[in-house]
Amino acid sequence: MTTVLREAPGIDVVAEFDTAGYSPRLLRGQRLRVLLMDLDGFDIEDLLAGQVVNRTAEQAVKVLALSASLDPDTAIKVLRGGAEGFLHKDTPVQGLVDAIRAVDRGGAALDPQVAGELITALRYSGPTEAEAVPGRGVKLTPRQRQILGLIGYGLTNVEIADQLQLGRPTVKSHISSLLRALDLRDRTQLAVYACTHGFRAHAALPAS
C-alpha cells in the first residue's frame, strides 16, 4: 500500500509505523495530516479503551481506518472513537486516494458495503436500540436533509456551498444546527448518521 500511494499524484507518504507498537506519541515532529490505521493489527477494544484514535485526532491528524473485515459494529465503534473513515483493505487505489483526500478536506469516507450493513443492522435492531438512536423524532427542514445527505457523500463545506449555491457561512450554520438537533458530536458522526438513516437520498433534492 505504501508503494502504491507513493505513486499517487498529490499524496506524500511521510512516515510508516508498526501497527502493534503504535502510539500517538510517535506523531510528534511528523508532518502527518491523515493517518491510515490498520485495525487488523489491533485489539479494537484495547484501542478504544486507550483512546488511541481520539488522542491521534486531538493532534489534528485525521484517522482513516482500514480492515479486512467490514463489521458494522467495529465501524461504529471506531468512528465514534474519533476516526473519520472506515474502508476495506481491498479498496481500489483510486478509491483509497479519493477517501484520503476527502478526509483531509474535512469530509468522511465510509465503505459502501459498511454503509449498507449499518442500514440493515439499524433497520432490524430491537426497539430498545432503535429508541437510543441520536436525533430520533427530530424534524429536519428540507434544506437540512439535503445538506446532511451531501455530508454523507463526503462533501466539504465549500463543495456543499458550491453545489447548492449557498454562502459558506450559511452552510456552516446549517451544520451547527444539525449537530445540535441530532445531538451529535462532529462531522464524522453526521456522515455516519446520514449513511445509516437514508439521508443520502435527499442529496439531489432541488433547492428550497
Side-chain angles (χ1 to χ4, degrees):
M1 184 177 293
T2 300
T3 301
V4 170
L5 289 176
R6 288 187 190 278
E7 301 298 322
I11 301 291
D12 293 323
V13 179
V14 178
E16 185 174 1
F17 306 106
D18 177 9
T19 303
Y22 171 73
S23 165
R25 292 191 299 272
L26 295 173
L27 302 183
R28 294 172 183 171
Q30 301 292 340
R31 297 180 295 109
L32 294 182
R33 284 160 53 179
V34 177
L35 174 67
L36 301 184
M37 182 174 284
D38 182 359
L39 297 183
D40 296 337
F42 282 109
D43 180 295
I44 299 298
E45 299 301 331
D46 287 346
L47 180 151
L48 296 177
Q51 296 183 331
V52 173
V53 177
N54 196 29
R55 283 188 284 121
T56 299
E58 288 174 359
Q59 299 185 51
V61 178
K62 293 167 179 153
V63 176
L64 178 56
L66 302 171
S67 177
S69 173
L70 295 179
D71 175 47
D73 290 335
T74 299
I76 290 175
K77 289 177 182 177
V78 175
L79 291 169
R80 284 179 174 168
E84 279 77 24
F86 185 89
L87 295 178
H88 194 280
K89 284 183 178 179
D90 289 339
T91 298
V93 175
Q94 190 57 53
L96 178 59
V97 170
D98 290 344
I100 292 172
R101 289 174 177 159
V103 167
D104 185 42
R105 293 194 305 265
L110 190 61
D111 190 285
Q113 183 177 330
V114 173
E117 293 286 346
L118 289 176
I119 291 171
T120 300
L122 289 172
R123 182 176 295 158
Y124 294 103
S125 61
T128 301
E129 181 179 348
E131 290 171 0
V133 174
R136 182 175 176 82
V138 175
K139 293 184 178 180
L140 301 178
T141 67
R143 178 65 81 193
Q144 287 176 323
R145 290 173 175 271
Q146 192 175 33
I147 290 175
L148 184 56
L150 293 174
I151 291 173
Y153 277 110
L155 272 66
T156 64
N157 287 12
V158 174
E159 292 169 331
I160 293 173
D162 290 344
Q163 179 157 330
L164 300 182
Q165 297 183 343
L166 296 173
R168 296 178 189 178
T170 301
V171 173
K172 185 176 181 179
S173 177
H174 277 303
I175 292 175
S176 296
S177 297
L178 283 167
L179 288 171
R180 289 193 299 270
L182 300 174
D183 192 25
L184 298 175
R185 184 186 65 216
D186 52 32
R187 189 187 194 89
T188 301
Q189 289 192 346
L190 281 176
V192 173
Y193 189 93
C195 292
T196 56
H197 289 72
F199 281 95
R200 297 205 301 182
H202 295 275
L205 286 176
S208 59

